[in-house]
Amino acid sequence: MKKYIVNISNEIKEIINLWDPLKIMDISFHNEYSYEINRIIEELSKNISAQDLSEKINKIFKSSYNELYEIEKNEEIKIARKILKVYNIEEGRGIL
């Protein structure tokens, strides 16, 4: 189970870093979003839909970065669906 969680963490890290909502990855550390990634992983352990996860992603990043966090409409839902799809997580089931 621990290996599975590590893989999930690495995959989510890759998804979030490629998304790079603050557009800072070329000038920041590779672990810039580690706090937010850990919070997203916590949400995945719950029964969650893509819509709910996208709302959590919004709250997590706004809590961390306030007005610096400005993204295009529907980006969070796309990221939430990508995260759920990578793990074949059915909406509302959770990972644990």
Side-chain angles (χ1 to χ4, degrees), residues 16-75:
I16 299 298
N17 285 347
L18 287 173
W19 175 40
D20 191 14
L22 299 180
K23 309 301 181 226
I24 58 172
M25 287 308 297
D26 58 340
I27 61 170
S28 67
F29 297 105
H30 70 279
N31 64 347
E32 179 65 34
Y33 301 121
S34 61
Y35 172 76
E36 294 77 21
I37 290 165
N38 288 332
R39 301 244 346 254
I40 291 169
I41 291 168
E42 289 173 15
E43 293 302 324
L44 286 175
S45 67
K46 304 171 185 173
N47 290 335
I48 194 161
S49 68
Q51 183 62 45
D52 289 341
L53 182 57
S54 71
E55 291 170 9
K56 294 292 185 179
I57 289 170
N58 178 279
K59 288 179 183 176
I60 289 166
F61 278 93
K62 279 193 175 177
S63 172
S64 293
Y65 298 105
N66 298 314
E67 69 277 348
L68 295 176
Y69 180 66
E70 293 181 11
I71 58 157
E72 298 292 322
K73 185 177 182 180
N74 296 324
E75 277 189 56

Side-chain angles (χ1 to χ4, degrees), residues 5-14 37-38 41 87:
I5 298 298
V6 169
N7 288 340
I8 287 174
S9 178
N10 289 336
E11 291 291 330
I12 293 174
K13 179 180 176 182
E14 183 176 337
I37 290 165
N38 288 332
I41 291 168
Y87 300 101

